Amino acid sequence: MARKVLVLGEVRDGALRNVSFEALSAGKVISEGGEVVGVLVGKSVSALGQEFIQYGASRVVVVEHAELAQYTSDGYSQALLAVIEEEKPEGLVFGHTALGKDLSPRIAGKLNSGLISDATAIEVAGGNVVFTRPIYSGKAFEKKIVTEGLIFATVRPNNIPALPKDESLSGEVNSLTVDIKDLRTIIKEVVRKASEGVDLSEAKVVIAGGRGVKSEEGFKPLKELATVLGGAVGASRGACDAEYCDYSLQIGQTGKVVTPDLYIACGISGAIQHLAGMSNSKVIVAINKDPEANIFKVADYGIVGDLFEVVPLLTEEFKKLKI
Ligand code: FAD
């Protein structure tokens, strides 16, 4: 059954986030040959419309407003609900990002719809669109179908491959005027945490440090390895609690969920709450002095040793490969 599906593109620092292209790819599956319409919300975002089309949107609807320069649940939900009212889609897809996690339940509530959050795979099987999503902190997966009404899902970054960009594609980018009003939250100023390099939740390589790094200084060799591999640095809560690094790096049940191609855990014991945030990484390498550490149970490759010896050796070897 062909469906019209709306896919929200997420813009950060003037560019579409990769998860938006993955959401488009999910939207294509849900549409079953129907129309996939991209939606861009913000202040000056229409210039990104053609790129969204090159990744698979049939056309793009843009809602621009000065009050949408920064994300607020109030402003974005007003914009999205207006587009939904206009387009009357049968499917809706957001990225399972901080923005998507905040906005999707609100939109689902307003529409009196269900929501399949954090989908890691989508397929059409037995005449249904079947979603796979983690349960019990990633220890198991469930399959879900929607039997009636809107098919609304958020997709976990780095799980559903984006379609390749086709620069020969072009299409309509239309504006929808929405009166954004009665905002209960006004963002006066955004103070960015100084973060270097690659975005942790979308990184293909994550080098994570635990209490075993022993100090803020101890993260230095991890940062060097991350730089050589074009990856991001993450951390266990143990490392964050010990003030070796900022909480924005925390991975796990109460931190970020990451699914990179390569996860290197350095001096992390592998508590269940940490595994909840990284156990679905494609390849896991664990470096730990303790051969009995729990992290080795989920690791594809284990190195029993001192991280301060092993990590610099890895960095030197990867440098030789000129990745
Ligand atoms: P430790 O358990 O102390 O492990 C340190 C490891 O480093 C040890 O295995 C040791 O052998 C090794 N080591 C030491 N020195 C070296 C060296 N030189 N070379 C190599 N290895 C070395 N934790 C999270 O990570 N994320 C979460 O989101 C999270 N949420 C939580 C939510 C709740 C409600 C609770 C109760 C806990 C949560 N935790 C979370 C905490 C979690 O239970 C663990 O306490 C924490 O993950 C431990 O961090 P760690 O592995 O860095 O430290």
Side-chain angles (χ1 to χ4, degrees):
M1 177 198 147
R3 297 181 186 85
K4 183 198 272 192
V5 179
L6 295 191
V7 176
L8 177 65
E10 212 177 297
V11 179
R12 183 186 281 176
D13 297 331
L16 280 159
R17 293 187 68 185
N18 198 45
V19 67
S20 309
F21 307 135
E22 296 168 354
L24 268 184
S25 172
K28 281 257 178 205
V29 177
I30 298 168
S31 77
E32 294 196 68
E35 195 183 21
V36 179
V37 181
V39 181
L40 296 178
V41 176
K43 193 172 165 212
S44 310
V45 289
S46 54
L48 301 168
Q50 289 305 333
E51 188 183 13
F52 217 23
I53 288 167
Q54 290 168 353
Y55 275 98
S58 329
R59 62 187 168 87
V60 171
V61 178
V62 178
V63 182
E64 289 179 312
H65 196 290
E67 299 284 12
L68 297 171
Q70 301 294 343
Y71 171 77
T72 60
S73 346
D74 260 357
Y76 267 53
S77 52
Q78 286 180 34
L80 253 301
L81 289 167
V83 179
I84 292 165
E85 171 74 20
E86 181 79 11
E87 294 285 340
K88 305 199 171 21
E90 287 127 337
L92 198 53
V93 189
F94 299 173
H96 194 70
T97 56
L99 185 154
K101 282 188 249 186
D102 184 61
L103 188 61
S104 55
R106 175 179 285 248
I107 299 280
K110 294 270 184 201
L111 297 175
N112 205 16
S113 141
L115 170 65
I116 295 185
S117 68
D118 203 14
T120 53
I122 303 178
E123 60 185 330
V124 177
N128 292 306
V129 180
V130 183
F131 294 86
T132 305
R133 62 179 302 279
I135 50 172
Y136 304 125
S137 299
K139 289 198 106 178
F141 288 86
E142 64 175 356
K143 301 234 182 225
K144 289 224 159 204
I145 60 167
V146 178
T147 51
E148 61 180 63
L150 183 74
I151 300 185
F152 185 8
T154 62
V155 295
R156 184 183 281 199
N158 273 347
N159 279 261
I160 297 163
L163 298 167
K165 186 176 185 181
D166 182 348
E167 293 192 358
S168 68
L169 294 175
S170 64
E172 280 176 38
V173 178
N174 298 314
S175 289
L176 181 70
T177 306
V178 182
D179 185 17
I180 305 293
K181 55 184 184 209
D182 303 329
L183 295 185
R184 286 167 296 181
T185 315
I186 309 283
I187 310 272
K188 294 278 193 195
E189 189 189 2
V190 177
V191 182
R192 290 274 175 100
K193 285 232 166 92
S195 68
E196 308 143 23
V198 186
D199 177 358
L200 180 57
S201 46
E202 290 194 350
K204 297 281 177 207
V205 176
V206 172
I207 315 297
R211 226 184 317 247
V213 302
K214 296 193 174 66
S215 65
E216 192 179 341
E217 185 71 12
F219 265 96
K220 234 173 133 189
L222 278 62
K223 285 182 189 160
E224 281 164 15
L225 180 55
T227 305
V228 170
L229 294 176
V233 172
S236 70
R237 181 158 140 187
C240 300
D241 284 347
E243 298 183 0
Y244 303 160
C245 63
D246 191 85
Y247 278 102
S248 60
L249 301 190
Q250 185 185 320
I251 291 166
Q253 191 180 321
T254 44
K256 294 198 166 87
V257 175
V258 297
T259 33
D261 292 341
L262 175 63
Y263 188 91
I264 305 184
C266 312
I268 294 179
S269 60
I272 179 75
Q273 295 91 353
H274 186 75
L275 302 187
M278 48 61 75
S279 61
N280 293 316
S281 303
K282 292 182 186 80
V283 175
I284 298 171
V285 178
I287 305 165
N288 199 304
K289 281 205 298 201
D290 174 7
E292 301 298 326
N294 200 45
I295 191 79
F296 288 125
K297 291 191 184 142
V298 296
D300 299 283
Y301 300 95
I303 303 173
V304 178
D306 185 334
L307 73 93
F308 295 106
E309 289 169 19
V310 177
V311 173
L313 283 175
L314 286 176
T315 305
E316 284 318 304
E317 289 305 310
F318 282 124
K319 267 188 194 162
K320 286 182 201 159
L321 294 174
K322 293 198 171 63
I323 294 169

